[in-house]
C-alpha cells in the first residue's frame, strides 16, 4: 500500500495535469495496487448533488471494468479545490469531508473499497482515512514540488509529463477578449454575409469546401515554416500573429460543415500533426463573442489530433471544452468515449487515410472544367502542404484583420451551416 504522500505526489502524473476544483477517482488493480482507469468531474457547488454524483462516478469507474478490462480491486479518491476567499486549506478539507464520505460509501456499495481519500488544497494535502497524526498532521502535509520526487523520476523515465494546471490548459483554448475580440467578430460577420450567396451558386457547397480545405492546407504550411519557442503563452501569441482575422473567419465558418471537418481531420499524424494542432487551437481562440459555439469544431479537431499523437490529457481537455459548448456534438462525444475507454486511435487514422486516398483518386479521375489548374492549387496530402505567404505584421501581434462597415445580419447565416455530427 502506497503512503498518502506517494499518492498525493502521483496525481498530476496520473492525469497529465494538475486538476483544479475536481474530484478524481483512480482504480487500483492487483495486490501491488497497479494504477488503472480514472474518472474526473468538477466538484458540484450544490451539496444536494453530491450523493448522485458520488453514485455516478463510482458506477462509471467500476462498470468500465465490465467491458473486458479487469474490475478494480480498490479505489483512491482525490478532492482538489483551492480555498475560497476567507478560507484556508483546513476549511476546504472540513467542507468537503461529507462528499468524501459519500464517495467511500458509493464505492463500498459496489464491493470496491476506497483505500485512501485525499484532499489537496493550497499546496498541502490531508487524508480522510489515515488517523496517524505523525504522517497526516491536522495542519496538512506540504505537497512535494513537481519534479523532485521518486515518483517524478519514475514518471520521467516512463515518458509521462505534467502539462501544467487544468486552468492553464483550458486558457490556451479560450476565445479572445477586448478589442481583438471585437475585430475578429466583425471579420466573422463579414465572412458570414459573404457565405450565403456563395452557397447558393451551382456547386456552391463543393466550392466552399474546397476553398476551406485549400486555405487550411496553406495555413498548416505557414505554421510549419514558423515554429515559435518560449512559454505556452508566448507560442500562442506567435501563432495568433500567423493568421489574419479574415483567414480565421473563413476557416471557422467553413469547418462548421461536417464533410469539411472530417476532411480536415486527415491532418492527424506525421509532419502535419503539430502545425494542425496549433492551427485548431488558434481558431478556437478566434471564436469570439456571439460566435463562441463555433469553436466546437476546431476544439474537437484539436482533441482528435492530441489523441492521435498520444497526448491523452490535452485531448480530454479540448474535447471537454467542445462538449461544454455543444453536449450533442457527436464527433466529440465519440472521441471522448473512446479515450476514456482506452481505445487505440489507429483504426480511425486508417479510415481517414483511406478517405484521403479515395478523395485524391476521385479528383484525379474527374474531368477537368475551365482553365487548367496548376499543381500548387491541388490540396496537398497530410504532412505535405503547399507553400503560402505569411501575413504582414510583427511576430506576436494579432495580425491585420478584415475591415467591415456593415451590420451583423449575416451572423446567423454562418451558424446555420453548422453540423452537430
Amino acid at each position: 500500500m502506497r503512503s498518502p504522500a506517494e499518492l498525493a505526489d502521483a496525481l498530476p502524473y496520473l492525469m497529465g495535469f494538475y486538476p483544479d476544483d475536481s474530484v478524481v477517482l483512480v482504480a487500483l488493480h492487483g495486490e501491488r495496487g497497479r494504477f488503472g482507469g480514472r474518472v474526473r468531474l468538477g466538484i458540484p457547488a450544490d451539496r444536494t448533488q453530491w450523493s448522485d454524483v458520488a453514485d455516478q462516478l463510482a458506477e462509471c469507474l467500476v462498470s468500465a471494468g465490465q467491458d473486458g478490462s479487469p474490475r478494480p480491486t480498490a479505489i483512491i479518491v482525490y478532492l482538489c479545490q483551492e480555498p475560497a476567499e476567507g478560507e484556508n486549506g483546513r476549511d476546504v478539507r472540513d467542507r468537503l469531508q461529507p462528499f468524501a464520505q459519500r464517495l467511500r460509501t458509493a464505492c463500498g456499495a459496489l464491493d470496491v473499497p476506497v483505500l485512501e481519500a485525499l484532499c489537496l488544497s493550497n499546496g498541502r494535502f490531508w487524508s480522510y482515512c489515515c488517523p496517524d497524526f505523525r504522517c497526516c498532521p491536522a495542519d496538512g502535509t506540504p505537497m512535494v514540488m513537481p519534479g523532485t520526487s521518486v515518483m517524478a523520476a519514475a514518471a520521467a523515465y516512463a515518458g509521462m509529463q505534467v502539462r501544467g494546471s487544468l486552468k492553464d490548459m483550458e486558457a490556451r483554448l479560450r476565445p479572445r477578449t477586448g478589442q481583438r475580440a471585437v475585430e475578429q467578430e466583425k471579420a466573422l460577420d463579414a465572412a458570414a454575409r459573404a457565405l450565403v450567396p456563395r452557397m447558393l451558386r451551382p456547386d456552391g457547397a463543393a466550392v466552399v469546401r474546397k476553398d476551406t480545405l485549400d486555405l487550411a492546407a496553406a495555413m498548416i504550411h505557414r505554421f510549419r515554416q514558423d515554429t515559435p519557442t518560449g512559454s505556452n503563452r508566448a507560442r500562442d501569441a506567435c501563432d495568433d500573429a500567423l493568421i489574419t482575422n479574415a483567414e480565421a473567419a473563413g476557416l471557422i465558418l467553413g469547418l462548421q460543415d461536417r464533410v469539411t471537418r472530417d476532411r480536415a481531420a486527415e491532418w492527424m499524424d506525421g509532419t502535419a500533426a503539430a502545425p494542425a494542432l496549433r492551427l485548431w487551437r488558434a481558431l478556437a481562440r478566434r471564436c469570439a463573442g456571439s460566435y463562441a459555439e463555433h469553436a466546437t469544431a476546431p476544439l474537437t479537431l484539436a482533441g482528435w489530433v492530441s489523441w492521435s499523437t498520444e497526448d491523452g490529457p490535452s485531448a480530454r481537455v479540448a474535447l471537454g471544452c467542445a462538449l461544454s459548448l455543444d453536449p450533442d456534438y457527436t464527433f466529440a462525444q465519440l472521441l471522448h468515449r473512446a479515450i476514456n475507454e482506452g481505445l487505440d486511435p489507429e483504426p480511425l487514422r486508417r479510415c481517414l487515410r483511406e478517405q484521403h486516398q479515395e478523395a485524391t483518386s476521385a479528383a484525379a479521375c474527374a474531368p477537368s472544367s475551365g482553365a487548367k489548374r496548376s499543381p500548387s492549387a491541388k490540396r496537398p496530402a497530410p504532412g505535405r502542404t503547399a507553400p503560402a505567404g505569411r501575413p504582414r505584421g510583427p511576430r506576436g501581434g494579432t495580425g491585420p484583420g478584415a475591415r467591415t462597415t456593415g451590420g451583423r445580419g449575416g451572423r446567423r447565416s454562418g451558424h446555420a451551416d453548422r453540423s452537430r455530427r
Side-chain angles (χ1 to χ4, degrees):
M1 173 61 185
R2 296 176 175 88
S3 69
E6 291 174 321
L7 293 173
D9 190 28
L11 178 60
Y13 297 97
L14 292 172
M15 302 301 296
F17 54 84
Y18 293 93
D20 295 311
D21 195 22
S22 301
V23 50
V24 180
L25 270 62
V26 179
L28 298 180
H29 298 278
E31 296 180 356
R32 302 185 61 181
R34 176 177 54 85
F35 290 118
R38 62 224 65 170
V39 294
R40 182 191 67 83
L41 188 69
I43 297 177
D46 185 356
R47 297 190 180 195
T48 62
Q49 299 178 4
W50 286 359
S51 181
D52 291 338
V53 168
D55 291 338
Q56 293 172 7
L57 288 174
E59 176 66 27
C60 180
L61 186 60
V62 174
S63 63
Q66 299 176 1
D67 299 329
S69 57
R71 179 184 175 88
T73 55
I75 290 175
I76 304 297
V77 172
Y78 296 91
L79 294 173
C80 311
Q81 191 173 77
E82 290 304 297
E85 185 176 356
E87 281 189 327
N88 56 37
R90 290 187 64 177
D91 296 331
V92 175
R93 178 204 63 180
D94 296 340
R95 177 165 50 80
L96 295 180
Q97 186 166 9
F99 190 24
Q101 183 58 39
R102 187 63 188 83
L103 288 163
R104 296 174 67 184
T105 303
C107 295
L110 298 175
D111 295 327
V112 182
V114 172
L115 292 187
E116 184 60 87
L118 298 176
C119 175
L120 284 68
S121 180
N122 200 27
R124 307 178 80 87
F125 71 86
W126 289 262
S127 171
Y128 290 117
C129 299
C130 179
D132 192 343
F133 68 91
R134 292 172 295 181
C135 65
C136 298
D139 291 333
T141 304
M143 298 278 293
V144 177
M145 291 298 294
T148 61
S149 66
V150 174
M151 173 61 73
Y157 181 78
M160 303 166 64
Q161 27 180 330
V162 179
R163 294 164 178 81
S165 71
L166 180 59
K167 290 181 180 178
D168 292 338
M169 297 175 71
E170 291 176 341
R172 304 189 70 184
L173 306 171
R174 291 196 192 103
R176 286 178 162 186
T177 57
Q179 184 59 33
R180 295 186 305 170
V182 173
E183 295 172 357
Q184 182 62 67
E185 192 169 6
K186 289 180 179 178
L188 284 161
D189 285 339
R193 285 194 300 271
L195 183 63
V196 173
R198 293 178 64 199
M199 295 291 291
L200 294 177
R201 296 171 187 167
D203 298 327
V207 172
V208 170
R209 287 168 181 163
K210 181 182 183 305
D211 289 347
T212 302
L213 292 170
D214 287 347
L215 178 57
M219 294 301 101
I220 289 174
H221 176 78
R222 183 184 297 173
F223 274 54
R224 183 193 294 129
Q225 297 300 110
D226 194 336
T227 303
T229 59
S231 65
N232 287 340
R233 184 174 182 179
R235 291 200 297 267
D236 290 344
C238 290
D239 286 346
D240 289 339
L242 292 175
I243 182 169
T244 68
N245 288 339
E247 290 167 337
L251 286 174
I252 289 169
L253 296 180
L255 288 173
Q256 305 310 306
D257 176 67
R258 180 184 63 85
V259 176
T260 307
R261 180 209 64 198
D262 290 350
R263 292 295 310 278
E266 296 171 7
W267 288 299
M268 77 291 185
D269 57 7
T271 58
L277 177 58
R278 291 162 52 201
L279 175 61
W280 307 144
R281 285 174 173 164
L283 292 180
R285 294 192 293 270
R286 297 296 187 99
C287 295
S290 56
Y291 291 89
E293 289 189 1
H294 284 63
T296 308
L299 284 171
T300 302
L301 288 171
W304 158 237
V305 177
S306 295
W307 182 41
S308 179
T309 54
E310 300 183 353
D311 186 356
S314 297
R316 286 188 176 92
V317 171
L319 294 172
C321 291
L323 291 172
S324 69
L325 293 172
D326 187 351
D328 298 322
Y329 201 72
T330 306
F331 189 28
Q333 287 179 334
L334 295 175
L335 290 176
H336 198 260
R337 183 180 305 171
I339 294 172
N340 289 335
E341 293 180 358
L343 301 182
D344 185 356
E346 179 55 29
L348 181 53
R349 284 198 296 253
R350 191 181 306 117
C351 291
L352 290 173
R353 294 188 192 104
E354 293 173 356
Q355 170 183 275
H356 176 76
Q357 292 174 356
E358 292 173 0
T360 303
S361 300
C365 296
S368 60
S369 59
K372 183 177 180 181
R373 291 182 176 271
S374 64
S376 61
K378 297 180 181 179
R379 179 173 176 245
R384 299 179 62 183
T385 54
R390 288 182 50 192
R392 298 176 182 177
R395 278 177 60 90
T398 59
R403 300 183 60 184
T404 61
T405 57
R408 299 183 181 179
R411 181 181 309 140
R412 191 177 299 276
S413 301
H415 185 76
D417 232 5
R418 188 162 172 269
S419 169
R420 286 174 175 262
R421 290 177 287 174

